[in-house]
Amino acid sequence: MEFITREIISTNWLTILIVFCLTLLAIAKGINSFRFYDFVGLFSNNKYIISYQKPNKLSSIFNVVLLLLQIASVSLFIYICFDVFEWQTTPVEVTLYFKISIIYTVIVICKLLIEKIIATIFSIDAIIDEYLFYKVSYRNFIGLLLLPINIIFIYSIHPSKIVFIILFVAMAVLNTIVLISFYRKNENTILNHLFYFILYLCALEIAPYFILYKLI
């Protein structure tokens, strides 16, 4: 009988990370349970956007907590991609995850700051604030959806490349639908400034993700 060695990868730090994400969810619910339940039903109705867009700023504690969840969850999803697609990784798994999360955080925060600066320069704070709240809310929700998927991939099923490609396509489609729905809502404003809108798409909606891909 020939013995086959089995490589056992420690998931202790991943467990701590999952607990951290669940703690963030608990904190968000504790801050405002009614708002949390509206957020959970974001894709089924627009109640969350309608109710909380104007009276609450993007920098509220509730949004910050969900943004942290998005960063942690999306970074973990990207980290799992390294194993699935057999990309070269650093010897220390935790180091790789933190590199991914730092790069993702820097791009997300810088992107938000640049958009706010542009809004101030061109005196379009109202529409940009509405746009940022709309976009960040849906991306936070995508981060929430990725959390149970990450848990399944870590503790239960080792995903195939095809599964990950399907998930990437699904997230890209969801993100596109969200953006198009907002653009249609503000169609007249966009058509009146079409040239600047195209520049915006290239510089702030396409380039950052290309940079993220190249850096990782």
Side-chain angles (χ1 to χ4, degrees):
M1 180 181 293
E2 183 180 355
F3 293 96
I4 300 175
T5 59
R6 179 185 176 189
E7 184 180 0
I8 300 177
I9 301 175
S10 174
T11 58
N12 291 337
W13 70 272
L14 290 172
T15 301
I16 295 173
L17 180 61
I18 295 299
V19 171
F20 172 72
C21 292
L22 294 175
T23 302
L24 290 176
L25 280 178
I27 292 172
K29 183 180 177 182
I31 293 172
N32 190 329
S33 59
F34 293 105
R35 181 173 182 177
F36 179 79
Y37 287 124
D38 289 338
F39 171 76
V40 171
L42 188 59
F43 265 105
S44 61
N45 58 74
N46 289 327
K47 182 179 178 181
Y48 178 80
I49 299 296
I50 296 172
S51 301
Y52 302 102
Q53 189 171 46
K54 293 183 178 180
N56 289 275
K57 294 183 179 180
L58 190 63
S59 58
S60 66
I61 298 177
F62 185 87
N63 286 325
V64 171
V65 170
L66 290 179
L67 182 60
L68 289 175
L69 175 64
Q70 178 202 151
I71 292 170
S73 185
V74 172
S75 299
L76 181 56
F77 183 78
I78 296 174
Y79 168 81
I80 297 173
C81 286
F82 277 79
D83 179 52
V84 173
F85 290 96
E86 300 177 349
W87 294 334
Q88 294 294 325
T89 62
T90 56
V92 183
E93 296 175 347
V94 183
T95 303
L96 173 63
Y97 173 79
F98 277 110
K99 285 182 178 179
I100 294 172
S101 59
I102 289 171
I103 292 172
Y104 184 79
T105 302
V106 169
I107 289 180
V108 168
I109 299 301
C110 288
K111 189 170 180 294
L112 288 173
L113 291 176
I114 291 173
E115 287 173 315
K116 289 291 291 182
I117 292 172
I118 292 175
T120 303
I121 292 174
F122 292 99
S123 300
I124 51 174
D125 298 86
I127 189 171
I128 290 297
D129 287 344
E130 181 182 349
Y131 174 64
L132 292 180
F133 181 87
Y134 190 89
K135 183 172 60 173
V136 171
S137 296
Y138 277 98
R139 289 181 181 174
N140 286 342
F141 186 79
I142 291 175
L144 175 62
L145 291 179
L146 285 178
L147 181 57
I149 294 174
N150 290 335
I151 293 174
I152 293 172
F153 287 166
I154 292 171
Y155 297 107
S156 181
I157 302 172
H158 185 74
S160 64
K161 294 181 180 179
I162 295 177
V163 171
F164 255 85
I165 291 173
I166 292 173
L167 286 173
F168 274 122
V169 172
M171 286 190 294
V173 170
L174 285 175
N175 187 62
T176 302
I177 291 174
V178 168
L179 294 179
I180 290 177
S181 63
F182 184 86
Y183 298 153
R184 289 186 63 185
K185 180 182 176 183
N186 297 273
E187 184 177 357
N188 292 333
T189 303
I190 291 173
L191 291 177
N192 291 333
H193 304 86
L194 186 60
F195 176 74
Y196 296 106
F197 173 71
I198 294 174
L199 288 178
Y200 166 82
L201 282 182
C202 295
L204 294 176
E205 289 297 348
I206 298 175
Y209 299 104
F210 179 75
I211 294 171
L212 177 64
Y213 167 77
K214 296 296 290 185
L215 287 175
I216 293 178

